[in-house]
Amino acid sequence: MVLSASLADAECLDLSDIVNTERYPLHEPSSPGLRQLVAACREQLAETGSAVLHDFLRPEALERARTEGRALAAKTYFSTRKVNAYFTADDPALPLSDPRRIFMDRTSGFVTRDLIPADAIVHRIYVAQAMKRFVAACLGEDRVWEYADPYAGLVQNVMPAGTEQPWHYDTNEFIVSMMTQQPAAGGDFEYCPNIRTPQGENYDGVGRVVRGDTRDEIQIITLRPGDLQLFKGRFSLHRVTRVEGDTERHTAIFAYSQKPGVVGRLERTRQLYGRVSEAHLEAEQRLVRADSLVD
């Protein structure tokens, strides 16, 4: 299979030159193989909140994605700050044991969508109709949309030695990610499936996890380069442990939504990417919460 030099194309129905379609036939939505794959992903998501597709990329596409990721890493915005799991300000009225008052070091970095070329492997995957159709099927949705957010729709997460992502939730109900470079040590993905619900935050349970009082609810996934992960991160507390060694951890994050026009929150965008756009300013003025959760 020859790796093409195509640009990102939202009408693309066939990613066979970069995706291992013998194993993951995204281009054949009615095939028995894809129906079985979708059913397996749905079962895993229902049971654990996560589904991992190993070796999603063809070897030559993975090597190109790794090379592109290393070049993109030079554009990373790094920030180091204390955050709680909700990205909210401290509230002295709450007890010190409340998870909203437990602040952790967040030292990871991001390359935003506006800096990722249109011919990059990860950009081609993100916008392709074949990919969005597959993700929607796995999530039991009729359709998913790309984020309208000019920064957060597609990002590369860059984690050098000593960096980590502390416990947090995702703004969206689900996220799709793909590792392109694995660190020498550390950088494990840890999560607590469905530790909160739309009806309640479960501060007591969350507090026990973020304080380190228990690991009973924590599941661990060690991802490999070329692995694709579907994850329901709106209700599952999760983190990436501290990276060790000389090799950075690189992960592409594909943000899809269940409705069009989604733009990230203003303050969270400022914290994560160091800047905001006119789209974020306008969206904040129109904000209507979909649920009552803190973040």
Side-chain angles (χ1 to χ4, degrees):
M1 183 70 67
V2 178
L3 184 60
S4 73
S6 301
L7 297 177
D9 181 3
E11 292 182 321
C12 177
L13 296 173
D14 192 346
L15 292 167
S16 297
D17 62 317
I18 56 179
V19 172
N20 180 3
T21 46
E22 287 80 17
R23 190 171 182 178
Y24 306 114
L26 273 60
H27 59 307
E28 298 176 341
S30 60
S31 68
L34 191 66
R35 288 200 299 267
Q36 292 173 9
L37 174 62
V38 167
C41 288
R42 286 186 179 183
E43 183 177 359
Q44 292 174 47
L45 288 168
E47 291 180 356
T48 67
S50 175
V52 177
L53 283 64
H54 296 296
D55 301 319
F56 185 74
L57 289 186
R58 295 187 182 279
E60 58 273 23
L62 173 58
E63 184 55 37
R64 177 170 159 182
R66 182 186 289 114
T67 300
E68 291 171 344
R70 288 171 179 167
L72 286 172
K75 303 177 181 180
T76 304
Y77 172 76
F78 287 104
S79 64
T80 300
R81 66 181 69 206
K82 295 281 189 178
V83 296
N84 63 19
Y86 309 92
F87 284 80
T88 56
D90 189 28
D91 184 353
L94 299 171
L96 289 173
S97 60
D98 190 290
R100 288 165 291 182
R101 298 211 65 192
I102 299 173
F103 285 77
M104 303 158 282
D105 291 324
R106 189 193 66 79
T107 51
S108 60
F110 293 95
V111 181
T112 53
R113 182 179 184 178
D114 59 319
L115 301 176
I116 299 175
D119 62 347
I121 292 291
V122 296
H123 216 150
R124 287 187 57 199
I125 293 171
Y126 175 58
V127 307
Q129 182 64 23
M131 182 66 174
K132 287 180 279 193
R133 186 173 58 192
F134 172 66
V135 170
C138 290
L139 295 167
E141 300 286 339
D142 292 331
R143 181 179 177 183
V144 296
W145 282 263
E146 298 170 33
Y147 260 30
D149 193 303
Y151 300 160
L154 169 67
V155 300
Q156 176 174 278
N157 178 223
V158 178
M159 299 182 66
T163 62
E164 60 188 303
Q165 288 186 6
W167 293 113
H168 67 283
Y169 297 101
D170 293 333
T171 302
N172 201 27
E173 184 174 343
F174 59 89
I175 204 77
V176 182
S177 63
M178 184 178 68
M179 175 169 283
T180 59
Q181 183 167 277
Q182 185 178 27
D188 288 330
F189 183 83
E190 298 188 344
Y191 74 110
C192 302
N194 298 314
I195 196 169
R196 74 174 180 179
T197 70
Q199 290 73 43
E201 292 282 1
N202 184 22
Y203 290 127
D204 289 342
V206 172
R208 287 191 292 272
V209 172
V210 299
R211 290 194 303 268
D213 295 342
T214 180
R215 291 188 60 85
D216 291 346
E217 296 186 64
I218 298 174
Q219 297 194 27
I220 303 173
I221 298 176
T222 300
L223 298 168
R224 304 192 308 255
D227 288 352
L228 185 82
Q229 182 186 25
L230 286 75
F231 178 64
K232 290 192 172 181
R234 180 66 175 150
F235 308 112
S236 296
L237 189 70
H238 55 286
R239 70 174 179 177
V240 177
T241 62
R242 185 179 294 262
V243 170
E244 301 174 12
D246 295 333
T247 304
E248 294 179 337
R249 184 185 193 271
H250 292 173
T251 307
I253 302 174
F254 311 112
Y256 300 106
S257 59
Q258 295 156 303
K259 59 181 180 180
V262 173
V263 175
R265 294 295 305 276
L266 185 70
E267 181 56 31
R268 186 161 181 161
T269 299
R270 186 180 291 115
Q271 288 184 22
L272 290 176
Y273 310 129
R275 58 200 170 110
V276 299
S277 69
E278 187 70 21
H280 296 101
L281 297 173
E282 293 178 357
E284 197 73 9
Q285 296 298 318
R286 302 191 304 267
L287 179 67
V288 177
R289 288 185 178 274
D291 54 44
S292 60
L293 297 176
V294 171
D295 61 335

